[in-house]
Amino acid sequence: MVQTVVSVGLPIDEMLEIKKNRIMPENQPGGMKRISIVTGIHGDELEGQYVCFELQRRIMQEKDKLAGIVDVYPAMNPLGIDSITRGIPAFDLDMNRLFPGNIDGNMTEYLAAGIIEDVSGSDCVIDIHASNIYLTEIPQIRINELHEDVLVPLAMETNIDFIWVHGASTVLESTFAYSLNNTGTPVLVVEMGVGMRITKNYGKQLVDGIFNLMHKMGIWKGSTKEVKKPIISRKPDDVFYLNASTGGLFIPMAKHGSRLKKGEIIGQITDPLRGEILDEVKAPADGMLFTIRDYPVVDEGSLMGRMLRKEACGYE
């Protein structure tokens, strides 16, 4: 059932409405668990749109197996999605810096407060993001170390490749996830794919994981697929950041998600005018490439990728 979560008037007799679709069993016993799938906080991150579609499509094929509540919020920032804009158009605001909002505040604060009120109380929330247009990420969940005891066991069930536990000092307190986690509603922040695009295989991978998590929570009684055991990183020095030494055109040469040896070439920065190789981006150590540059034009200092050192990956 499609419901309006919060709405506000716009100029010229228009309304901004944030909506969700609630899916429930035909028989509705008391005490049902609830999972909320949230995406579209950033309007240029579209990977979650496919997850919302595929999840609901599969639920409706076997709705008799549903034993709890599934709330799907595909467009928390509908104006941003309509205009392919990261923030809220005309306000020049990042929506993920407005939470928990203020019900008596301005329009954007009111919207943020209405969202928090509606999502609060979920037994689990999946907040789906994509990378920007410059980088591609393997499916991963990023967790504030303050909440890792609650969130890591949930994340382990979601079929993602990598769990990245961040230090508390790196987490912005005005985000959707922090605001809810800090008040007892567990939120898993998924980062995967690339901005302005849909990576179907990543979307299907996550949907398989969501069904597995719902099964563990008692929300789904149907069959599920076996899920991956993710790599978990907790140490800041486990991750290498690879930055461009010069500007040019980046040509990737390593497969995203691959295991590399120290010194292997990840890509080349080239000069199209002279036909020269200006620099080679090499693996600084043995490990896994979990972020890679997708947009080819780079400047000095541009992020080319991220690697997780072999010792943290847990493979021989």
Side-chain angles (χ1 to χ4, degrees):
M1 177 174 60
V2 175
Q3 303 173 357
T4 298
V5 173
V6 61
S7 63
V8 65
L10 295 173
I12 322 176
D13 296 326
E14 293 181 320
M15 293 291 293
L16 169 58
E17 296 180 325
I18 297 174
K19 297 184 178 183
K20 71 178 181 182
N21 191 19
R22 169 163 287 188
I23 310 174
M24 301 175 65
E26 297 299 332
N27 297 319
Q28 301 175 11
M32 289 188 297
K33 293 285 186 72
R34 173 189 173 202
I35 189 169
S36 293
I37 312 302
V38 171
T39 191
I41 288 177
H42 292 137
D44 60 351
E45 298 177 0
L46 306 178
E47 299 282 7
Q49 302 290 299
Y50 180 74
V51 173
C52 291
F53 159 75
E54 181 66 10
L55 177 67
Q56 293 181 90
R57 184 190 70 81
R58 287 169 53 176
I59 289 174
M60 298 310 294
Q61 286 181 337
E62 298 183 277
K63 194 179 176 186
D64 59 308
K65 304 294 195 304
L66 188 64
I69 300 170
V70 180
D71 279 344
V72 179
Y73 303 76
M76 287 300 201
N77 178 10
L79 293 179
I81 290 176
D82 287 346
S83 60
I84 317 297
T85 304
R86 179 176 177 82
I88 302 175
F91 293 89
D92 195 27
L93 291 172
D94 184 338
M95 192 175 195
N96 213 24
R97 302 295 182 268
L98 298 174
F99 296 101
N102 181 353
I103 204 70
D104 297 316
N106 61 32
M107 187 193 89
T108 56
E109 293 171 330
Y110 173 78
L111 290 172
I115 290 168
I116 290 292
E117 181 180 5
D118 198 81
V119 181
S120 291
S122 301
D123 293 284
C124 184
V125 180
I126 311 289
D127 177 22
I128 305 172
H129 293 261
S131 187
N132 54 38
I133 63 170
Y134 302 104
L135 302 167
T136 299
E137 304 277 3
I138 63 171
Q140 60 195 263
I141 287 177
R142 299 180 182 178
I143 291 173
N144 181 341
E145 67 180 5
L146 295 175
H147 306 114
E148 66 173 301
D149 291 346
V150 172
L151 298 182
V152 169
L154 295 172
M156 293 288 291
E157 306 295 340
T158 58
N159 201 36
I160 46 86
D161 297 311
F162 177 39
I163 298 172
W164 192 357
V165 180
H166 280 275
S169 62
T170 67
V171 178
L172 293 171
E173 297 183 4
S174 54
T175 63
F176 172 77
Y178 181 90
S179 297
L180 285 173
N181 278 318
N182 210 38
T183 54
T185 296
V187 182
L188 300 173
V189 179
V190 176
E191 297 273 355
M192 67 180 191
V194 64
M196 297 190 186
R197 299 290 184 271
I198 289 175
T199 313
K200 285 180 66 177
N201 59 322
Y202 287 171
K204 289 180 178 180
Q205 177 181 338
L206 180 59
V207 170
D208 288 342
I210 293 173
F211 272 103
N212 181 68
L213 178 59
M214 291 197 303
H215 188 271
K216 298 287 184 180
M217 294 173 65
I219 294 173
W220 182 251
K221 301 299 183 183
S223 61
T224 60
K225 297 181 180 179
E226 185 176 352
V227 298
K228 298 182 176 184
K229 183 179 179 180
I231 297 165
I232 303 177
S233 170
R234 292 183 170 90
K235 299 177 181 178
D237 59 359
D238 282 343
V239 176
F240 295 98
Y241 293 80
L242 312 176
N243 299 97
S245 63
T246 185
L249 190 75
F250 177 68
I251 309 297
M253 301 181 70
K255 185 178 179 181
H256 188 218
S258 60
R259 298 173 180 180
L260 302 175
K261 296 288 186 181
K262 181 178 180 179
E264 280 192 61
I265 297 175
I266 294 171
Q268 296 175 330
I269 300 175
T270 64
D271 180 353
L273 177 61
R274 297 176 176 83
E276 298 175 351
I277 297 172
L278 302 177
D279 193 21
E280 291 181 327
V281 181
K282 297 180 180 181
D286 294 357
M288 179 183 68
L289 182 67
F290 70 90
T291 304
I292 193 167
R293 184 82 179 186
D294 191 81
Y295 189 78
V297 178
V298 301
D299 296 315
E300 182 179 349
S302 294
L303 185 63
M304 301 287 92
R306 299 186 188 95
M307 282 189 65
L308 185 67
R309 69 169 69 246
K310 177 182 176 180
E311 291 77 8
C313 295
Y315 64 82
E316 295 299 327

